[in-house]
């Protein structure tokens, strides 16, 4: 009786270890695949830019998204849609009622022009309808501009 028990346990152990080996293989492959996927060479500059843009995204959500949509083709809100704003001409959204100052400015939205707008919208465009969104912290402006650059790709 004792021997039968030992044999039985032995069979279970053998069955378990037989199941164990194929299950381990994918796990090993996963570990090998991660560093081998090419993430290591290009990941060193990417996180820095990505971090700035994601900080900018958070600031945008708090300070801009109430008025501005960012998806392509999305309707404008109190402010015009900003998809692809980098490199675009000020006052480009057809059905949006811009202020005269912004519409006729001829400004092309470079990072520098965006910085000037965000530092003080009313100073850059007297009579602007952008009543909020002033960012006094230069680092915040840099982050938001990185985000706007991201959504313009
Ligand atoms: C209270 C609503 C409001 C908020 C908040 C706001 N904006 Fe605006 N924004 C506007 C309006 C209105 C205009 C159009 C201004 C004009 O016609 O003078 C505008 C224009 C712009 C433009 C120029 C768009 C174009 O088509 O030329 C940019 C860029 C912009 N805003 C970025 C931002 C960013 C970035 C923030 C957040 C930091 C922000 N805005 C916050 C209302 C807002």
């Amino acid at each position: 009786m004792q021997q039968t028990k030992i044999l039985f346990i032995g069979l279970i152990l053998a069955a378990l270890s037989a199941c164990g080996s194929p299950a381990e293989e994918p796990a090993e492959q996963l570990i090998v695949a991660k560093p081998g996927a090419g993430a290591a060479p290009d990941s060193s500059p990417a996180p820095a830019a990505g971090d700035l843009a994601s900080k900018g995204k958070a600031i945008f959500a708090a300070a801009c998204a109430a008025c501005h949509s960012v998806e392509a083709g999305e309707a404008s809100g109190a402010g015009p849609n900003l998809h692809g704003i980098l490199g675009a001409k000020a006052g480009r959204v057809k059905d949006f009622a811009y202020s005269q100052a912004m519409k006729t400015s001829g400004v092309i939205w470079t990072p520098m022009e965006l910085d000037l707008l965000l530092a003080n919208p009313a100073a850059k465009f007297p009579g602007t309808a952008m009543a909020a969104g002033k960012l006094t912290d230069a680092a915040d402006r840099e982050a938001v501009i990185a985000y706007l650059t991201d959504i313009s790709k």
Side-chain angles (χ1 to χ4, degrees):
M1 192 63 192
Q2 188 67 14
Q3 265 182 337
T4 324
K5 244 188 192 169
I6 289 168
L7 186 67
F8 189 57
I9 290 168
L11 276 173
I12 289 174
L13 286 178
L16 280 178
S17 64
C19 287
S21 50
E24 273 164 29
E25 265 174 45
E28 272 173 80
Q29 279 170 354
L30 249 183
I31 292 161
V32 172
K34 266 190 180 170
D42 13 294
S43 66
S44 19
D51 286 354
L52 194 61
S54 57
K55 179 188 168 190
K57 187 177 182 175
I59 296 168
F60 190 93
C64 323
C67 295
H68 290 287
S69 58
V70 293
E71 296 298 326
E74 205 179 338
S76 297
N81 176 283
L82 294 182
H83 185 83
I85 193 70
L86 204 92
K89 198 172 170 202
R92 74 205 165 124
V93 176
K94 291 268 177 300
D95 53 359
F96 189 83
Y98 288 95
S99 67
Q100 212 41 34
M102 190 173 284
K103 199 170 188 149
T104 59
S105 66
V107 160
I108 302 293
W109 291 120
T110 59
M112 197 195 79
E113 292 286 6
L114 285 167
D115 189 70
L116 287 170
L117 168 75
L118 299 178
N120 195 343
K124 175 130 180 83
F125 298 102
T128 183
M130 184 157 145
K134 180 174 176 171
L135 298 175
T136 46
D137 185 339
D140 284 355
R141 295 198 297 274
E142 190 190 358
V144 166
I145 292 164
Y147 171 65
L148 291 175
T149 304
D150 245 27
I151 61 161
S152 298
K153 283 172 186 167

